[in-house]
Amino acid sequence: PEHAATGAAHSPRPRASRVASGSSPEAPDAARDEASAAGVHEVEGPVLRIRAALADGSDAPAARVRLQGWKSAQVRDLRSGDPLVVRLPADEEPPNHVFAWTDTLCGSASVPEPGEGGVREVAITLAEGRILRGVVVDGRDAPVAGATVVGAGEVEGGAVAAAESVTGPDGSFALPPLPPSHWTSGATLEVRATGFSTSWTGFDEFGGDTNVRISLERGIVVVGRVLDPDGNPVAGVQVDPSSGDTTSTGADGRFRTDHLPQSKFRLSILPDDFAAHVVQFGSVEPGTRDLGDVRLARGVAATVRALHPDGSPAAHAWIGAVDAEAGQYVRQGQADAEGRITFEHLSDRAHRFESHANNGPFEGARGSAERTPDGGEIEVRLETGTSVVLEFRTGDGAEPVCPSEVSVKLEAEGDTRGGPGGDEVGVGFSLGGSTSAVRCDLPREGTWRITVRARGWSPPPPFAAVLARGEQRLRVLLPPLPPPAGK
């Protein structure tokens, strides 16, 4: 996925899954039989069979295995020479990646599509890893016990290697072995603890060190209760902070969201059957902020129609409703064959409607429009705009790079295609080591001077590019940082 300057909406994460382990013959049916014998008798669901070997093809020693979903993860044991069979309930998604490790070895693999008999075969090769140790402290240099530390990043082939630890009474932690490439490829160390804002640090900032010190900033906790217009609690409402984890209200309508920063952020309460409620926070002192009772409004409906540059309906275009003040998507969906979609339960706040074409001759065309005062149908006329996708690679161009943070400055130069100069676009991306490309939308075509800075990498020289309407892709080669003095 590419991070666009316009941002993106959040979505719920799958819950943790159940597994069973043991040896199994080669046949897929036998894998299912073994899972049943291990005590899992629910309706049939996804089945994984995981094997680990060394680089020479011999059996790997006994290892621990982490099954990593989008958010949830679980750990199981893998015996030497025997596959680990995992059977999930029918309503549960399989994990995306599997990471295995011993005291000194590690390896990971993506979970493939089902093969013969519906079994997903996962093969992992273990190789020498590096152990990251460290200590987590607060702003007064006191140790933080019970903090969760997760190191994660992509490896060759796109699989994710993620390891987790919890700090002890002295604030110390030691992660299981991780691939050495984590220290250069943009992997991220996430540290979270109750009462503190979440810390994200790129492994490339450690300069190759395997013993680090992480300082946490006191964080904000926001609590409240969500009620309908009649004063009844509303359960299952998504509560989405702009910096932090999404949560949902309980049966009593109450919610709690932790690990929020002291800096400016917003909290979006996104019910299905009522208007969204967005709360803006400026700089807040550490501690708990109680919103009390948040009473929802029923809201009004708005019909939006997306049209191609030639006036034809933008069939099945993506359309989103943005709270204009907060800059937050509150509703989004796909238009019908006539380019229309109706959003129910919009608040009376100002909204902007954005759209882009997903297919056809105008694929990639974008547009936006404001809500009409008379409440009539909103027309979004799409235009084939100008955008550039910057793909980050190592200095020799051989490997993709996933930086933790990137800043991009684009300055328009005067020429016959672009007209007078003076336009400037500055965009910052917090990527968390999750992607090797970003997209920047520009106000017009023409010649643009592009300056890129990526955390953990030496700055490449600025360069100029002639950008036409539509989307163009450019490679940016990132030179490595020079070694620290004395090393």
Side-chain angles (χ1 to χ4, degrees), residues 201-269:
T201 309
F203 272 62
D204 48 18
E205 297 179 47
F206 300 146
D209 289 341
T210 55
N211 203 313
V212 300
R213 190 177 190 86
I214 305 295
S215 181
L216 298 183
E217 179 184 76
R218 286 287 172 182
I220 311 300
V221 177
V222 178
V223 299
R225 184 172 65 153
V226 177
L227 306 176
D228 67 16
D230 300 321
N232 302 307
V234 185
V237 175
Q238 180 176 315
V239 180
D240 184 12
S242 56
S243 179
D245 290 336
T246 298
T247 187
S248 298
T249 58
D252 58 357
R254 297 190 181 278
F255 68 87
R256 173 190 174 98
T257 180
D258 204 344
H259 312 298
L260 302 178
Q262 298 178 34
S263 57
K264 181 179 178 181
F265 66 94
R266 66 175 178 268
L267 191 74
S268 301
I269 299 172

Side-chain angles (χ1 to χ4, degrees), residues 75-172:
V75 176
R76 290 294 183 269
D77 292 318
L78 174 64
R79 296 197 298 264
S80 179
D82 289 334
L84 168 66
V85 177
V86 178
R87 181 177 180 180
L88 306 177
D91 62 346
E92 190 159 313
E93 292 292 323
N96 307 104
H97 308 279
V98 178
F99 176 64
W101 74 93
T102 68
D103 289 342
T104 59
L105 306 175
C106 65
S108 59
S110 298
V111 176
E113 292 299 313
E116 182 182 354
V119 177
R120 300 168 191 259
E121 300 283 354
V122 182
I124 302 174
T125 301
L126 299 188
E128 287 291 330
R130 298 175 68 182
I131 297 175
L132 180 69
R133 294 179 171 84
V135 62
V136 178
V137 297
D138 63 14
R140 298 180 178 179
D141 221 28
V144 178
T148 300
V149 182
V150 180
E154 285 189 6
V155 296
E156 187 177 354
V160 171
E164 182 175 328
S165 180
V166 177
T167 59
D170 60 352
S172 65

